[in-house]
Amino acid sequence: MAFTGFHAAGIDLLQLNRLQNSKEFYEAHKDEIKRLVIQPFHELIAEMTPAMLEIDPQFVVTPSRMISRVRRDTRYTRDKTLYRANLWFFFRRPRRERESVPCYYFEIHPEYWGYGCWGSWDRSEMEAMREMILREDQLFLEAYRAVNACPQVHLAGEEYKRPKYPDAKPEYQSWLNRKELGADFREYHDFAPVLDGSFVQPMIAAMQQLAPLYRFFLAAKERAEAAHREALQ
């Protein structure tokens, strides 16, 4: 089926399911959650897939491998809440378990909806990014121009308290001074585009515009992995 938007009732049901925090409640409403929330995610992925494969033909495009689970994995966190109120999916290449890889994402949260493009969180990959920035590598310059030309997104990622490279160009400081790096769009007030589906084409256009940023993230990961292999020889 074609994607026509998300259901307000589905977003509300996810939040109620989290508040109930009950396996019994979830089991009683599982089919409704699938119909109102999970199925629209499948439809959205199908609509986006042709354009996203033009960005990277290696993207995983099987919805079951892309969409977050309603049931939270509580093994590695202090928060033992069983269910989440937000859902998201990633367009990214195949990965090993718990490996972070560059990706595009879309998310619905009770308080906002958004999308973006993110690199990895590995320290060596961030170091590779910073080296490319400081050398003004062509891939970085293309990424820099792409983000600046896409005003609906902003650079994101936790920042260090002190500049790591205070003598670097001022316009690069926001890129250099982050523990992880991505570009986000977030909307906290207007959910109408999510409910009527009108956000899809502008989102796809922004993701295509950010393709140089995605390629920059891929290159940094590849260079970090190459440096690691050399260090082992």
Side-chain angles (χ1 to χ4, degrees), residues 212-231:
L213 177 65
Y214 174 72
R215 290 193 289 269
F216 168 61
F217 290 151
L218 278 183
K221 182 175 181 64
E222 291 166 357
R223 295 182 190 192
E225 290 175 346
H228 179 67
R229 288 193 297 269
E230 288 182 9

Side-chain angles (χ1 to χ4, degrees), residues 127-175:
E127 290 174 355
M129 286 187 209
R130 295 188 192 104
E131 290 176 5
M132 295 172 73
I133 294 168
L134 293 170
R135 289 189 287 102
E136 295 189 306
D137 186 285
Q138 184 63 31
L139 287 171
F140 162 67
L141 293 177
E142 291 171 0
Y144 179 80
R145 288 192 289 266
V147 172
N148 287 343
C150 194
Q152 61 267 50
V153 304
H154 62 274
L155 278 187
E158 183 181 357
E159 295 188 80
Y160 290 101
K161 293 182 180 179
R162 297 179 181 178
K164 292 183 69 68
Y165 299 94
D167 297 328
K169 290 185 176 182
E171 58 267 35
Y172 299 161
Q173 289 295 330
S174 186
W175 292 71

Side-chain angles (χ1 to χ4, degrees), residues 59-72:
F59 279 144
V60 174
V61 292
T62 304
S64 61
R65 298 174 59 193
M66 301 168 67
I67 303 171
S68 60
R69 297 177 183 272
V70 176
R71 176 67 161 88
R72 297 179 64 247

Side-chain angles (χ1 to χ4, degrees), residues 51-87:
M52 299 306 291
L53 288 178
E54 291 180 4
I55 296 173
D56 189 343
Q58 296 186 50
F59 279 144
V60 174
V61 292
T62 304
S64 61
R65 298 174 59 193
M66 301 168 67
I67 303 171
S68 60
R69 297 177 183 272
V70 176
R71 176 67 161 88
R72 297 179 64 247
D73 183 350
T74 58
R75 292 175 297 172
Y76 307 103
T77 176
R78 293 181 180 178
D79 181 0
K80 301 303 179 182
T81 305
L82 296 176
Y83 303 98
R84 64 178 86 256
N86 60 319
L87 285 183

Side-chain angles (χ1 to χ4, degrees), residues 141-210:
L141 293 177
E142 291 171 0
Y144 179 80
R145 288 192 289 266
V147 172
N148 287 343
C150 194
Q152 61 267 50
V153 304
H154 62 274
L155 278 187
E158 183 181 357
E159 295 188 80
Y160 290 101
K161 293 182 180 179
R162 297 179 181 178
K164 292 183 69 68
Y165 299 94
D167 297 328
K169 290 185 176 182
E171 58 267 35
Y172 299 161
Q173 289 295 330
S174 186
W175 292 71
L176 289 165
N177 201 42
R178 295 184 186 273
K179 299 178 182 179
E180 64 274 330
L181 186 62
D184 281 341
F185 167 87
R186 286 274 179 94
E187 175 56 58
Y188 288 87
H189 304 292
D190 186 8
F191 274 73
V194 165
L195 300 179
D196 64 21
S198 61
F199 73 98
V200 178
Q201 292 309 315
M203 176 177 69
I204 291 174
M207 289 181 170
Q208 291 172 325
Q209 196 168 1
L210 292 174

